[in-house]
Amino acid sequence: MEKSCISVFLLLVAVSYALAKDFTSKNDGKRDTKEVKETKPRLPQTLSRGWGDNLVWTQTYEEALFRAKNGNKPIMIIHHLEDCPHSQALKKVFAEHKEIQKMAEKFVLLNLVYETTDKNLSPDGQYVPRVLFIDPSLTVRADITGRYSNRLYAYEPSDISLLYSNMQKALKLLKTEL
Amino acid sequence: MEKSCISVFLLLVAVSYALAKDFTSKNDGKRDTKEVKETKPRLPQTLSRGWGDNLVWTQTYEEALFRAKNGNKPIMIIHHLEDCPHSQALKKVFAEHKEIQKMAEKFVLLNLVYETTDKNLSPDGQYVPRVLFIDPSLTVRADITGRYSNRLYAYEPSDISLLYSNMQKALKLLKTEL
């Protein structure tokens, strides 16, 4: 997990570089040649980015907040980077985990490679991968954490069961009957 | 243009309703049955939403700002709604206009159905369709307008040539040599 300790600046540099190459490529860790042919057929840029192609993903944080409140569903936000091997590894197990994919339908889903300006989404820093839950009352569930004390919202692929149980926890809404 | 005069509240209600039906459907004005089969194969949710499937679209406003500054490219932001016939009509001519599609490559592109919290993106209200340009210096080009004095940033399909020339105008950066 130490290697994923990237400063915001480095994050942005990395994203910038990754995106400059080819925004749409589903980079699985290995680099393509730098010369991206703009003429080659481009894969559609999907909102899922491989985190669950059969799930409904929101585009923006504003949209997610609106849908959470209106639909009384919790939000699950995954911050990640296409060029980060930790993000890619988590994405793989996340996308292949049938129960997680099923349970994810109960959430308003958002995956982001660019940080929002909302500081509540980085309670202990802007690292990736980072998974946060937000209650339909629009309260960030800072209490739902992974197992790393120095990056509370990070998950390794081996933590996928913990992530699953945290999703269950997030589905127990804070103010269901109020 | 009068009919596109929709308050923010109505916008959100409309979007909510449209999206509740099927977020991914490329709705061209006619309504499907309300019972969306969740089991039917879902079209991939693309960032282009039909405004130019071969163009690179950014996901969020934060991303667009970052790329504009870094790449020294102006931003073109299109606010629209899937359920709005004016938006759909403009989208059709926009997507089919070869010169516009070509010139659009020179912009950082963003199309949004949910408003951001940045008031600079609604100089005269939150109507759709609404096209705004932002200079790489991150200045909103409030001077680049359409032909309707009551909604300066709205375009009808018949205004597509004006939109094209406004794109040309936006490409002349404010502070190129500073």
Side-chain angles (χ1 to χ4, degrees), chain A residues 47 58-63, chain B residues 11 15 19 23 47-49 51 57-62 64 75-82 87 109-118 121 127-130 132 134:
Chain A
L47 291 174
T58 53
Q59 180 185 358
T60 65
Y61 185 42
E62 290 82 3
E63 177 182 352
Chain B
L11 275 186
V15 173
L19 294 177
F23 181 64
L47 290 173
S48 89
R49 284 206 187 82
W51 287 87
W57 293 86
T58 53
Q59 180 184 358
T60 64
Y61 185 41
E62 291 83 4
I75 304 173
M76 179 175 189
I77 302 188
I78 303 168
H79 286 89
H80 65 109
L81 284 175
E82 297 287 321
S87 300
L109 297 167
L110 178 64
N111 73 77
L112 289 176
V113 290
Y114 281 82
E115 297 285 342
T116 68
T117 51
D118 189 339
L121 294 182
Y127 50 87
V128 294
R130 183 168 103 251
L132 284 145
I134 302 178

Side-chain angles (χ1 to χ4, degrees), chain A residues 3-14:
Chain A
K3 283 165 66 184
S4 69
C5 177
I6 313 169
S7 74
V8 180
F9 177 74
L10 285 177
L11 276 185
L12 291 176
V13 171

Side-chain angles (χ1 to χ4, degrees), chain B:
Chain B
M1 221 60 212
E2 305 77 47
K3 283 165 67 186
S4 70
C5 176
I6 313 171
S7 74
V8 181
F9 177 75
L10 285 176
L11 275 186
L12 291 176
V13 171
V15 173
S16 168
Y17 176 68
L19 294 177
K21 289 193 307 172
D22 187 0
F23 181 64
T24 62
S25 73
K26 289 185 179 174
N27 193 326
D28 57 0
K30 59 183 186 297
R31 293 190 181 281
D32 302 318
T33 57
K34 281 191 188 178
E35 295 77 21
V36 173
K37 297 284 178 294
E38 284 298 321
T39 50
K40 77 175 178 186
R42 194 180 270 127
L43 288 172
Q45 298 171 271
T46 64
L47 290 173
S48 89
R49 284 206 187 82
W51 287 87
D53 294 340
N54 291 315
L55 295 168
V56 175
W57 293 86
T58 53
Q59 180 184 358
T60 64
Y61 185 41
E62 291 83 4
E63 178 183 348
L65 293 174
F66 177 79
R67 285 162 161 276
K69 202 160 187 178
N70 261 45
N72 201 39
K73 288 167 80 171
I75 304 173
M76 179 175 189
I77 302 188
I78 303 168
H79 286 89
H80 65 109
L81 284 175
E82 297 287 321
D83 232 20
C84 160
H86 296 279
S87 300
Q88 296 297 318
L90 182 64
K91 172 158 76 178
K92 189 169 187 297
V93 296
F94 186 91
E96 289 172 357
H97 195 295
K98 286 207 177 90
E99 290 81 8
I100 280 190
Q101 290 289 308
K102 184 73 191 158
M103 190 179 288
E105 291 174 5
K106 297 179 182 172
F107 289 83
V108 173
L109 297 167
L110 178 64
N111 73 77
L112 289 176
V113 290
Y114 281 82
E115 297 285 342
T116 68
T117 51
D118 189 339
K119 302 290 177 210
N120 296 310
L121 294 182
S122 46
D124 63 349
Q126 294 187 335
Y127 50 87
V128 294
R130 183 168 103 251
V131 182
L132 284 145
F133 298 96
I134 302 178
D135 195 69
S137 63
L138 306 190
T139 308
V140 173
R141 297 291 305 267
D143 59 312
I144 302 182
T145 63
R147 63 173 88 257
Y148 308 100
S149 59
N150 58 337
R151 355 194 119 254
L152 288 171
Y153 310 98
Y155 296 84
E156 292 272 11
S158 56
D159 304 328
I160 197 72
S161 299
L162 175 58
L163 182 55
Y164 181 70
S165 67
N166 279 348
M167 288 170 72
Q168 288 178 307
K169 200 186 286 185
L171 285 172
K172 289 174 193 145
L173 306 186
L174 293 178
K175 300 180 182 175
T176 33
E177 299 303 323
L178 293 188

Side-chain angles (χ1 to χ4, degrees), chain A residues 6 8 13 23 26 33-35 38 40 42-44 48 62 69 76 79 95 104 110 112 114 128 147 152 165 170:
Chain A
I6 313 169
V8 180
V13 171
F23 180 65
K26 289 189 180 170
T33 57
K34 281 191 187 177
E35 295 76 21
E38 284 299 320
K40 76 175 180 187
R42 195 180 268 129
L43 287 172
S48 88
E62 290 82 3
K69 202 160 186 177
M76 180 175 187
H79 286 88
L110 178 62
L112 289 176
Y114 281 81
V128 294
R147 61 173 90 257
L152 288 170
S165 67

Side-chain angles (χ1 to χ4, degrees), chain A residues 137-157:
Chain A
S137 63
L138 305 192
T139 308
V140 173
R141 296 292 305 268
D143 59 311
I144 302 182
T145 63
R147 61 173 90 257
Y148 308 100
S149 59
N150 58 335
R151 356 196 114 254
L152 288 170
Y153 310 98
Y155 296 84
E156 292 272 11

